[in-house]
């Protein structure tokens, strides 16, 4: 797929975190890991990153981009799923939550593909009325998701649904992966 010219690649909108700059010119930066763009490119897409903007712009983005990738990042605000903040809740960004939830709705309404990674999966669950565990270390019998090895090496097995598209793509129902989650799906949303 990567042999296609850039002009015919499907465009994939990638969400970002808002990060206050603490040196040089004071401003907020829109950031996400380069690995997301690299993965989209390697899969044949043309990655486009977008800052967290007014949610009213979501339909416009859904009209011009072919797909949406909701990237990882900080914690989702528990107010979005009707919960009080856990004492160990990480940093939240209500503006990012609002923008990404509206992007998700707009892309789904347009019938375009959406992929959630880490925080993105959690936000999709919240969009469907689900809830989250706000602090995985306080949930009994969970994997340690705050790894000390930041190289991203696979550290634990994940069981895929046998016969699923993902299991067929990997050629096996068991894969090894890494995890750096602070939150996770608790009650699964509808649909």
């Amino acid at each position: 797929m990567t042999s296609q010219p850039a002009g015919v690649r499907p465009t994939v909108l990638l969400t970002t975190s808002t990060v206050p700059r603490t040196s040089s010119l004071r401003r907020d930066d829109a950031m996400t890991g380069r690995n997301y763009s690299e993965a989209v490119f390697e899969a044949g897409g043309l990655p486009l990153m977008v800052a967290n903007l007014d949610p009213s712009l979501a339909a416009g983005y859904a009209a011009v981009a072919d797909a949406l990738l909701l990237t990882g990042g900080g914690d989702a605000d528990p107010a979005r799923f009707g919960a009080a903040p856990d004492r160990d809740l990480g940093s939240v960004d209500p503006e990012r939550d609002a923008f990404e939830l509206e992007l998700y709705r707009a892309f789904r309404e347009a019938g375009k593909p959406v992929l959630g990674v880490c925080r993105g999966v959690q936000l999709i669950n919240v969009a469907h009325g689900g809830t989250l565990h706000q602090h995985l270390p306080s949930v009994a019998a969970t994997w340690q998701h705050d790894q000390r090895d930041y190289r991203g090496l696979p550290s634990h097995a994940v069981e895929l649904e046998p016969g699923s598209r993902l299991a067929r793509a990997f050629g096996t129902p068991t894969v090894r992966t890494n995890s750096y989650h602070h939150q996770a799906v608790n009650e699964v949303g509808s649909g």
Side-chain angles (χ1 to χ4, degrees), residues 12-13 17 29 38 47 72 80-82 113 117 120 127 134 139-140 145-146 155 165:
V12 180
L13 192 71
S17 295
D29 290 320
E38 290 170 340
R80 292 279 175 189
F81 50 94
V117 175
Q134 295 181 50
V139 179
H145 290 277
D146 186 19
S155 63
R165 289 174 60 187

Side-chain angles (χ1 to χ4, degrees), residues 149-166:
D149 180 354
Y150 294 112
R151 295 172 295 170
L153 299 175
S155 63
H156 65 85
V158 173
E159 297 296 323
L160 306 175
E161 183 69 32
S164 67
R165 289 174 60 187
L166 193 55

